Amino acid sequence: MPSTGTHAHVLVVDDDEDVRTLARWQLESEGFEVLTAADGQAALDAVAEGRPDVVLLDLTLPLVAGLDVLTHIRRCSADLPVIVVSGRSGETDRIIGLDLGADDYVVKPFSPAELAARVRSVLRRSRRAETAPVQKPVAEPSRARRGLVIDRVTRTVTVRGDAVELTAREFDLLAFLAASPRHVYTRDQLLEHVWQSSSDWQEPATVTQHVHRLRRKLERDPDRPHWLRTVRGVGYRFEP
């Protein structure tokens, strides 16, 4: 289990030596163990060895691009925290990074102290997720919603009898919304309840991207969803 302080291992992936040095100096001064990688392949090798507790990932990398590294990490682990640290400040780049599963997005140039604070934040969230007690269902373990069956015990979902593969976070978001049909939640509320986070540390757009992914996997017509509805100017609700 990762520590939120001393001895937690942070992998800093950046082809700029000055950035790696600055991040290492700040993180080590706050008690973290720091690993570095100058290219995408070295980053994948370090992750494969199981060494980091959190990854700071640049997008512009030699050998293997940063987005490809992120995609590979998410295929192998839904739980390893990844913070994208990039000079790309456009909304499209942020959305792509979050859509691929980044936990946070930091734009260069960054404040070293803020970067360390964000590392501590994602590690705290990761630790809470790992140590949270398993909640036994008090009602029926599965619920059928017009062809959508959500089984909280086995954490499986079927749509009209066909199994649907969801990530852990996608399942948590769907199950949370479905537990309170027609209740409207803001993106900030969903960050708090599903991600154990806040908009101070995580982009609310990550909620939007997870909803879009769920619609693509569950809805007959993702552009006209039945179950996952948008309440304009407010947030999202589950329609049974």
Side-chain angles (χ1 to χ4, degrees):
M1 179 186 304
S3 166
T4 57
T6 305
H7 304 314
H9 289 79
V10 181
L11 173 62
V12 178
V13 187
D14 202 295
D15 63 342
D16 188 326
E17 184 177 0
D18 290 339
V19 172
R20 297 197 305 272
T21 300
L22 179 62
R24 176 192 283 275
W25 178 84
Q26 181 67 39
L27 292 167
E28 287 184 342
S29 72
E30 299 197 25
F32 294 101
E33 301 286 341
V34 179
L35 313 167
T36 63
D39 61 69
Q41 186 57 57
L44 291 176
D45 292 342
V47 171
E49 292 173 5
R51 301 176 69 186
D53 296 312
V54 61
V55 178
L56 302 182
L57 179 65
D58 187 22
L59 295 182
T60 306
L61 295 171
L63 300 184
V64 181
L67 289 178
D68 291 333
V69 173
L70 177 56
T71 298
H72 179 84
I73 289 175
R74 281 295 166 258
R75 285 175 181 167
C76 299
S77 171
D79 302 320
L80 174 61
V82 178
I83 301 174
V84 170
V85 184
S86 175
R88 302 179 186 178
S89 59
E91 182 181 9
T92 299
D93 294 302
R94 289 173 178 264
I95 289 175
I96 290 173
L98 294 168
D99 197 18
L100 290 176
D103 294 270
D104 202 351
Y105 196 109
V106 177
V107 177
K108 298 177 185 177
F110 55 81
S111 159
E114 180 183 352
L115 185 68
R118 288 176 182 257
V119 169
R120 290 194 298 273
S121 179
V122 298
L123 283 171
R124 281 196 298 269
R125 296 199 299 269
S126 176
R127 186 174 184 275
R128 282 200 299 268
E130 291 182 6
T131 59
V134 176
Q135 299 295 325
K136 295 182 178 180
V138 296
E140 72 272 27
S142 62
R143 294 183 179 182
R145 309 285 191 179
R146 295 190 184 182
L148 172 65
V149 179
I150 305 168
D151 193 316
R152 297 171 184 274
V153 174
T154 62
R155 292 180 63 85
T156 56
V157 173
T158 60
V159 176
R160 292 173 285 276
D162 294 327
V164 178
E165 184 176 348
L166 301 181
T167 67
R169 192 73 74 189
E170 288 167 354
F171 181 89
D172 291 341
L173 176 59
L174 176 64
F176 179 81
L177 287 169
S180 302
R182 299 189 178 90
H183 184 97
V184 180
Y185 290 96
T186 67
R187 293 191 298 176
D188 282 349
Q189 288 173 326
L190 291 171
L191 277 179
E192 177 185 354
H193 291 290
V194 179
W195 277 261
Q196 290 79 52
S197 182
S198 76
S199 57
D200 292 335
W201 299 110
Q202 193 162 10
E203 291 282 351
T206 193
V207 176
T208 304
Q209 295 309 309
H210 277 73
V211 170
H212 288 173
R213 287 209 300 268
L214 280 170
R215 285 172 175 166
R216 290 197 295 268
K217 293 181 178 183
L218 302 176
E219 303 280 2
R220 288 185 185 273
D221 184 355
D223 294 327
R224 296 181 178 181
H226 170 76
W227 291 302
L228 298 173
R229 300 285 187 87
T230 298
V231 180
R232 295 193 180 279
V234 184
Y236 301 100
R237 76 171 191 266
F238 182 88
E239 186 69 25

